[in-house]
Amino acid sequence: MKKQLLLVLNGKGGVGKSFFAVNFVQYLKDRQIAHAAFDSDNENSTLKRFHPEAVFLNLADPRGLDPMIQELEATRQRIRKLIRVRDAIR
């Protein structure tokens, strides 16, 4: 399997992004599937709360995606990346 980048996003709140992300990361853990999780929701960082190893991405910072890019470049194994993207700014 090739590396995969999965984005969980929607412009509206309350549609289940965090619910899906938290449970999907747990699914990967339970099956010992290599993965890296990132959370860009600075208001309700649910993914990071349930999975403290998730890396926070500060999308307000011009270099905010650097941790994700560095992880993608550094990983030589097949790995899934999951990013929970915050709701659109109102």
Side-chain angles (χ1 to χ4, degrees):
M1 179 189 306
K2 295 180 181 179
K3 291 180 186 179
Q4 296 179 349
L5 176 62
L6 307 171
L7 300 174
V8 180
L9 55 98
N10 191 309
K12 181 182 179 315
V15 296
K17 294 177 298 295
S18 294
F19 176 81
F20 174 80
V22 165
N23 286 291
F24 187 64
V25 168
Q26 190 61 53
Y27 171 88
L28 296 173
K29 282 182 174 181
D30 291 347
R31 284 151 186 79
Q32 298 178 342
I33 297 172
H35 67 280
F38 300 90
D39 193 346
S40 69
D41 188 347
N42 59 345
E43 294 176 18
N44 295 319
S45 194
T46 306
L47 181 60
K48 187 133 178 74
R49 229 177 321 140
F50 282 89
H51 300 287
E53 74 282 0
V55 176
F56 177 71
L57 298 176
N58 182 3
L59 300 182
D61 180 349
R63 308 290 314 198
L65 291 177
D66 286 0
M68 181 190 65
I69 301 302
Q70 290 164 355
E71 178 74 25
L72 287 168
E73 290 175 342
T75 304
R76 301 237 182 265
Q77 63 185 345
R78 294 177 183 145
I79 190 166
R80 287 185 170 94
K81 308 280 191 263
L82 176 84
I83 304 170
R84 195 293 193 192
V85 181
R86 68 173 294 201
D87 306 333
I89 299 172
R90 293 175 189 89

